[in-house]
Amino acid sequence: GGAKSQALVAIALAESFIDDGVILCCREIQKSIADSLYAALVNSIYKYKLDSYFKILQTEITNLVTGSRFIFAGLKTNITSIKSIDKLRVVLTDEAENISQTSWDYLRPTPRYGHVRFYIVFNPRFESDATWQEFVVKKDSRTLHTTINYYDRSEEHTSELQSQSTISYAVF
């Protein structure tokens, strides 16, 4: 994957060693697990020889040390069920430029377990996009932005030109 996906996967794996909280990997529309960060997480687990620390199932991944679980969902079709996830502590949003205001309105107040964090990865498109409004225009002291460009990608991917991407980190 690209630099921003690699960064998100590294963050996700590190977050899973903090406590037994749930890590939600989501995007606005996810038709199957193949549309999620699942494959990138599994590949990184094996690449970095972390497989003895994780139980990898077809629809979720569990950290065997902490009990932390990765779950995967599309927001548009699952937003009300996401509100009932017990121990939801971390939200990782990929392709967040597509997340609607309705989804943000439901999602932002949902996690309430421990030290809650959102990691929002998006390619900025329009100033009117809900993600831009929520995490750039309305940015507060709890939000950190990191910009990743195509030249920040690993050596094997430097021939691919990608537009500027943004990772926002928000602590609530």
Side-chain angles (χ1 to χ4, degrees), residues 35-48:
D35 295 334
S36 71
L37 286 172
Y38 178 86
L41 282 164
V42 170
N43 289 339
S44 288
I45 288 168
Y46 286 114
K47 178 180 178 179
Y48 297 111

Side-chain angles (χ1 to χ4, degrees), residues 7-118:
L8 193 58
V9 165
I11 289 166
L13 292 173
E15 284 282 355
S16 78
F17 283 95
I18 292 174
D19 64 23
D20 64 343
V22 172
I23 300 170
L24 172 64
C25 302
C26 61
R27 57 180 62 204
E28 183 72 4
I29 298 172
Q30 180 181 304
K31 295 179 183 175
S32 73
I33 197 86
D35 295 334
S36 71
L37 286 172
Y38 178 86
L41 282 164
V42 170
N43 289 339
S44 288
I45 288 168
Y46 286 114
K47 178 180 178 179
Y48 297 111
K49 298 178 178 29
L50 298 171
D51 48 301
S52 64
Y53 298 105
F54 291 92
K55 180 178 181 181
I56 300 170
L57 301 175
Q58 288 184 333
T59 59
E60 73 176 48
I61 300 169
T62 302
N63 183 312
L64 297 171
V65 175
T66 63
S68 180
R69 291 183 311 125
F70 291 94
I71 60 173
F72 307 87
L75 299 173
K76 188 172 186 173
T77 57
N78 297 299
I79 196 67
T80 54
S81 64
I82 288 170
K83 290 188 74 63
S84 64
I85 297 172
D86 188 40
K87 295 186 178 181
L88 180 58
R89 183 180 61 81
V90 176
V91 177
L92 305 170
T93 58
D94 198 17
E95 297 183 8
E97 68 272 13
N98 298 315
I99 296 178
S100 68
Q101 187 62 54
T102 299
S103 292
W104 282 125
D105 290 346
Y106 271 92
L107 187 59
R108 286 194 69 173
T110 296
R112 294 178 290 277
Y113 184 73
H115 194 67
V116 173
R117 286 178 286 287
F118 283 75

